[in-house]
Amino acid sequence: MFKLTRISFATITPLVATALAVGLAVAASPAAHGLTPTESNTPGGPSTAQWKSLGKTFSFDGHSVFYVDQGTGSTTLAIHGYPTSSWDFRRLLGPMSRDTRFIAPDLLGFGFSDKPAAFTYSIASHADSVVALVKHLGVTRARLIGSDIGNAVVQELLARERASKLPFAIESVVLINGSLFAEQFKPSNAQKALLSPLGGLMNRGASEDSIVTTLTQISGPERRIPVGELSEVWKLLNYPSDARLLHKTLPSVDEREANDNRWTDALCSSNTPLKLLVGTADPTGSKAMAEALTAKCKGGRRFALQQFDKAGHFPHVEYAQETAQAILAWREGGY
């Protein structure tokens, strides 16, 4: 397992060269610096501008946190991954908000939320912000959806509930593509460089092309996310003005390792109904989520599993209608 503390500058230099070679260079085109999200004619949910108009903000630790809150009834709280935002759930908003109160925040450092340079970005701090949002909205019970690093945030919330330190009840959990255990997280060369002492340089060298290319590569083969939508992800990363913090918002390997036993115990020991939604065409290794969960919990953890064979890392974007139907039809989840 890669550890940040073991990286030397001799190791970092080729990593930087490799990452730069595959496109992490400063983009010179005007499009790369068009930082205000605009209306999009791409079908499939609200544009980023429309998403922003649907949202509200609240203050957490002196910083503005953006969230969308639509629908009525029992609460579903969706937590996005890295390096995206709550806009990931744009295509779920319609079908989900017809049956539930659907809340999707931008974690600090992402999307329309503040991106303070001095903030300590961690899974724990993200969980703190989710708890603060739930308190702000007066929610006492919620169903959780996690994607990518949102899975780790959900695991942290489960661990707090298990320790009787969570001020709301978790009714059910849906986890979408991502690693659940420390040994599953295998940073790419570019991610290793971002986590290194030269992470700031790598962050400044990131380009729209590199982000779009990376996200395209982890999408499924059948329903590729349109390039225009992926370009909007770049704009949200930089919102409001060249503000991206890719090196700071990438969760550290050390935090994952330090909390692995606690997060694993919470996931395996919890009686909370659990469903895994997996796009098996995801090249990042998400296909192994169910196998790893079964092995870690020694077969003692019951969970529902739904796989989309041609979906990549974002089944909730690529197969949004099917994802929403799978969640809402899941009887064990209580919808």
Side-chain angles (χ1 to χ4, degrees):
M1 171 58 68
F2 163 80
K3 290 187 178 180
L4 178 59
T5 54
R6 296 178 184 173
I7 289 187
S8 66
F9 276 91
T11 304
I12 289 299
T13 301
L15 290 178
V16 172
T18 299
L20 290 174
V22 297
L24 288 177
V26 176
S29 66
H33 300 286
L35 304 179
T36 301
T38 55
E39 295 287 346
S40 170
N41 292 322
T42 304
S47 68
T48 48
Q50 292 165 338
W51 191 256
K52 184 180 181 184
S53 72
L54 292 172
K56 302 175 183 178
T57 62
F58 84 105
S59 180
F60 168 69
D61 201 18
H63 306 295
S64 177
V65 173
F66 173 88
Y67 65 95
V68 168
D69 180 2
Q70 295 285 304
T72 59
S74 58
T75 299
T76 297
L77 180 65
I79 306 171
H80 67 83
Y82 173 95
T84 54
S85 68
S86 64
W87 193 57
D88 279 359
F89 300 106
R90 60 193 176 277
R91 298 182 186 176
L92 291 188
L93 181 65
M96 293 295 295
S97 63
R98 285 192 290 270
D99 291 272
T100 182
R101 181 183 182 183
F102 191 73
I103 301 170
D106 283 344
L107 301 174
L108 274 179
F110 300 91
F112 294 118
S113 287
D114 283 351
K115 299 176 175 67
F119 188 78
T120 300
Y121 294 94
S122 65
I123 298 300
S125 65
H126 290 322
D128 289 342
S129 71
V130 171
V131 170
L133 174 60
V134 168
K135 287 182 176 179
H136 172 74
L137 296 175
V139 171
T140 58
R141 306 181 68 82
R143 300 179 174 93
L144 303 182
I145 298 175
S147 168
D148 191 77
I149 68 165
N151 291 346
V153 177
V154 170
Q155 287 177 270
E156 170 64 23
L157 294 172
L158 282 170
R160 294 184 187 187
E161 183 181 54
R162 182 165 171 75
S164 299
K165 295 181 179 179
L166 193 68
F168 67 94
I170 301 174
E171 295 186 324
S172 67
V173 166
V174 174
L175 301 178
I176 304 173
N177 289 46
S179 57
L180 302 180
F181 310 106
E183 64 265 29
Q184 284 187 296
F185 179 58
K186 302 183 186 304
S188 65
N189 284 343
Q191 288 175 329
K192 290 177 182 178
L194 283 168
L195 290 169
S196 79
L198 295 182
L201 174 64
M202 299 306 302
N203 176 65
R204 299 315 315 152
S207 71
E208 179 179 344
D209 285 346
S210 66
I211 294 297
V212 170
T213 297
T214 298
L215 296 178
T216 298
Q217 289 173 342
I218 63 175
S219 298
E222 185 175 66
R223 301 183 188 176
R224 293 285 187 192
I225 301 172
V227 170
E229 292 187 28
L230 298 180
S231 292
E232 292 295 288
V233 173
W234 168 255
K235 294 175 185 178
L236 288 170
L237 272 172
N238 287 281
Y239 182 87
S241 178
D242 205 27
R244 66 183 178 276
L245 294 170
L246 289 165
H247 60 310
K248 291 181 178 289
T249 55
L250 179 62
S252 72
V253 176
D254 289 344
E255 184 184 18
R256 288 175 181 266
E257 292 184 338
N259 287 283
D260 191 48
N261 289 338
R262 183 167 156 269
W263 290 348
T264 298
D265 181 64
L267 195 59
C268 292
S269 300
S270 173
N271 292 320
T272 302
L274 171 66
K275 184 179 183 73
L276 302 186
L277 283 171
V278 183
T280 58
D282 179 8
T284 68
S286 296
K287 184 178 180 180
M289 282 177 67
E291 294 177 359
L293 181 62
T294 301
K296 279 282 188 177
C297 299
K298 298 179 173 58
R301 177 58 153 116
R302 291 182 62 250
F303 60 90
L305 172 65
Q306 180 128 5
Q307 300 184 83
F308 298 103
D309 292 339
K310 294 185 179 180
H313 193 69
F314 304 97
H316 48 307
V317 180
E318 300 167 48
Y319 291 80
Q321 192 66 36
E322 294 88 341
T323 297
Q325 289 173 352
I327 294 172
L328 293 170
W330 178 39
R331 294 182 180 179
E332 192 174 16
Y335 285 97

